[in-house]
């Protein structure tokens, strides 16, 4: 893979960590995937589509989203055979194309391929699933016309899989965080938590760590939840303490609650200093 593409993936990762709006996380990824793969459009699949009524959103190379997709086209995109069947019956989460699953000649001459060419102007489909195998398919489906996906495209898809998974986790954390702080204790709408975090100089990833500190998770547990190293969690924690002017977990959580950065809740009991997994041995 060209070094410039690897550098771009790193740039996207950094940008994702500083994005406050979970709905804005996917656009830069869509643009980059479409650019590198020379594809016409892609869709992000968040859960099993079979039988659901969610609208299909099509991402275009300029980062815009088309929501007005005809019913016939939506059904073709939603079922996306043979990829959905392949991932539903296999634990393999390697990016593959439709022609790899059934054979190039078989795919080219198949009824499904013909329907996609007529309705979507799409000759080839690449599936880039998230590593999580709990759903039949979650990830993105990349549509390309003309020649098929190359080995370089597949190598890029494998490289970007961890970033897709990380952005998916980050989007879920941001949505949960916003939902948990959307209402003040009185039931009235409270201040935007993102504004409180920004006023305190906290980055979105530091805010994620802060919310998990409030749940009394250890640095090890936080690292697993966020997919980062324990050392990175400790560094984020140090930054949070410095920016909020605190020196321990309980005081930090109380300050953050007072500033409406995280919801007001009962603060977990402080672990005994020096105990394995406690605050002094992991998060300070």
């Amino acid at each position: 893979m060209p070094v410039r593409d690897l550098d771009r993936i790193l740039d996207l990762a950094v940008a994702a960590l500083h994005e406050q709006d979970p709905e804005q996380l996917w656009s830069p990824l869509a643009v980059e995937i479409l650019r590198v793969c020379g594809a016409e459009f892609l869709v992000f699949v968040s859960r099993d589509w079979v039988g659901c009524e969610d609208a299909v959103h099509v991402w275009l190379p300029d980062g815009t989203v088309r929501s007005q997709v005809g019913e016939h086209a939506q059904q073709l995109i939603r079922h996306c055979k043979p990829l959905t069947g392949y991932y539903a019956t296999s634990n393999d989460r390697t990016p593959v194309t439709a022609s790899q699953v059934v054979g190039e000649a078989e795919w080219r001459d198949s009824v499904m391929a013909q329907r996609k060419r007529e309705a979507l102007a799409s000759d080839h489909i690449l599936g880039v699933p998230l590593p999580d195998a709990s759903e039949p398919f979650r990830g993105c489906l990349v549509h390309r016309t003309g020649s098929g996906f190359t080995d370089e495209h597949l190598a890029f898809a494998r490289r970007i899989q961890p970033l897709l998974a990380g952005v998916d986790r980050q989007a879920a954390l941001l949505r949960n965080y916003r939902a948990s702080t959307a209402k003040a204790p009185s039931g009235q709408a409270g201040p935007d938590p993102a504004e409180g975090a920004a006023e305190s100089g906290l980055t979105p990833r530091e805010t994620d760590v802060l919310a998990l500190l409030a749940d009394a998770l250890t640095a090890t547990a936080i690292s697993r939840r966020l997919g980062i190293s324990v050392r990175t969690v400790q560094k984020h924690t140090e930054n949070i303490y410095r920016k909020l002017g605190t020196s321990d977990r309980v005081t930090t959580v109380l300050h953050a609650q007072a500033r409406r950065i995280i919801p007001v809740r009962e603060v977990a009991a402080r672990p005994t200093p020096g105990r394995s997994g406690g605050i002094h041995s992991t998060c300070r």
Side-chain angles (χ1 to χ4, degrees), residues 177 180-181 183 185 191-203 206-215 237 239-265 267:
Y177 166 64
S180 68
T181 55
K183 296 292 183 180
D192 186 348
E195 292 182 3
E199 289 174 359
S200 299
L202 297 176
T203 67
E206 289 168 352
T207 306
D208 293 339
V209 172
L210 175 58
L212 296 176
L213 287 173
D215 289 336
T237 304
N239 290 337
I240 293 167
Y241 287 175
R242 174 175 54 81
K243 292 177 180 181
L244 297 184
T246 58
S247 58
D248 64 81
R249 182 195 295 249
V250 173
T251 304
T252 299
V253 171
L254 291 174
H255 277 230
Q257 290 172 339
R259 299 182 190 186
R260 302 293 187 202
I261 300 173
I262 58 175
V264 176
R265 69 182 88 177
V267 180

Side-chain angles (χ1 to χ4, degrees), residues 2-165:
V3 173
R4 66 178 181 276
D5 289 337
L6 291 175
D7 288 343
R8 181 59 182 152
I9 289 176
L10 292 175
D11 290 341
L12 288 171
V14 172
L17 290 177
H18 288 82
E19 177 57 58
Q20 299 278 358
D21 185 351
E23 306 311 319
Q24 297 300 317
L25 287 168
W26 298 107
S27 181
L29 273 175
V31 170
E32 187 65 11
I33 293 171
L34 291 171
R35 181 190 70 81
V36 173
C37 293
E40 278 62 48
F41 70 92
L42 64 77
V43 292
F44 288 110
V45 182
S46 59
R47 57 193 172 101
D48 183 14
W49 269 348
V50 177
C52 79
E53 298 180 355
D54 291 353
V56 172
H57 302 290
V58 175
W59 294 81
L60 302 177
D62 62 358
T64 58
V65 183
R66 278 184 55 199
S67 299
Q68 301 300 321
V69 181
E71 181 62 28
H72 178 56
Q74 286 198 39
Q75 290 300 321
L76 287 173
I77 294 172
R78 193 187 303 277
H79 290 282
C80 195
K81 296 178 180 178
L83 291 179
T84 50
Y86 173 78
Y87 286 118
T89 58
S90 170
N91 289 326
D92 180 19
R93 287 302 182 264
T94 303
V96 296
T97 65
S99 60
Q100 285 179 314
V101 173
V102 298
E104 184 173 352
E106 288 80 358
W107 169 250
R108 183 179 60 248
D109 299 332
S110 68
V111 173
M112 180 58 66
Q114 180 179 348
R115 290 176 178 174
K116 289 184 181 293
R117 281 192 294 269
E118 294 172 350
L120 306 173
S122 170
D123 295 308
H124 305 278
I125 311 170
L126 168 65
V128 188
L130 298 180
D132 181 9
S134 61
E135 298 277 355
F137 180 83
R138 293 178 64 241
C140 69
L141 298 167
V142 188
H143 291 252
R144 174 183 166 92
T145 61
S147 59
F149 291 96
T150 66
D151 290 340
E152 288 75 15
H153 295 151
L154 291 169
F156 171 80
R158 291 190 294 271
R159 288 281 191 172
I160 209 166
Q161 268 185 300
L163 180 56
L164 283 172

Side-chain angles (χ1 to χ4, degrees), residues 185-239:
S186 62
Q188 300 298 318
D192 186 348
E195 292 182 3
E199 289 174 359
S200 299
L202 297 176
T203 67
R205 182 41 59 100
E206 289 168 352
T207 306
D208 293 339
V209 172
L210 175 58
L212 296 176
L213 287 173
D215 289 336
L217 297 186
T218 66
T220 300
I222 293 172
S223 71
R224 291 172 180 166
R225 182 78 62 87
L226 299 180
I228 58 180
S229 70
V230 172
R231 177 56 191 151
T232 299
V233 173
Q234 292 169 338
K235 185 63 177 178
H236 285 317
T237 304
E238 292 169 3
N239 290 337

